[in-house]
Amino acid sequence: MANHKSALKRIRSNEAKRLRNKYQHKTTRNAIKKLKSIASKEEASNELPKVVSMVDKLAKKNIIHNNKAANLKSQLAKHVASL
């Protein structure tokens, strides 16, 4: 158990950040799945910038690694182009 007031605060803030990161990551994963399931090229092309933006935000906040973000964006762009 924490012995200092600052350590207790750190535990609280870490938990809040963990939950926020988890929510953002899960929301982005769901958006990626939704984009991959779209069959129409126009609809997928409209959705792609939104999903790419979400992925970029996760990378910027170090929720996912920059290279993983680049790989995801490349994979999604390739998928949309192949429709």
Side-chain angles (χ1 to χ4, degrees):
M1 190 60 201
N3 292 323
H4 299 283
K5 229 177 175 179
S6 60
L8 291 170
K9 181 178 178 182
R10 176 60 67 195
I11 288 169
R12 288 195 309 272
S13 64
N14 283 346
E15 180 65 12
K17 288 174 189 174
R18 184 185 72 83
L19 292 173
R20 190 178 316 115
N21 290 343
K22 185 177 158 186
Y23 170 77
Q24 291 172 343
H25 197 182
K26 187 64 177 175
T27 305
T28 304
R29 284 197 306 252
N30 287 338
I32 289 169
K33 286 178 192 169
K34 183 181 169 198
L35 177 64
K36 286 183 179 178
S37 70
I38 295 173
S40 129
K41 188 173 177 79
E42 312 90 48
E43 202 177 326
S45 297
N46 291 338
E47 200 64 30
L48 181 63
K50 295 173 192 167
V51 176
V52 166
S53 173
M54 292 171 83
V55 170
D56 282 337
K57 284 176 187 172
L58 290 182
K60 183 180 177 185
K61 295 175 183 175
N62 289 323
I63 297 171
I64 61 173
H65 196 275
N66 289 335
N67 290 351
K68 180 180 175 79
N71 289 338
L72 279 172
K73 292 190 298 185
S74 169
Q75 179 188 30
L76 292 172
K78 206 158 92 173
H79 173 72
V80 170
S82 72
L83 290 174

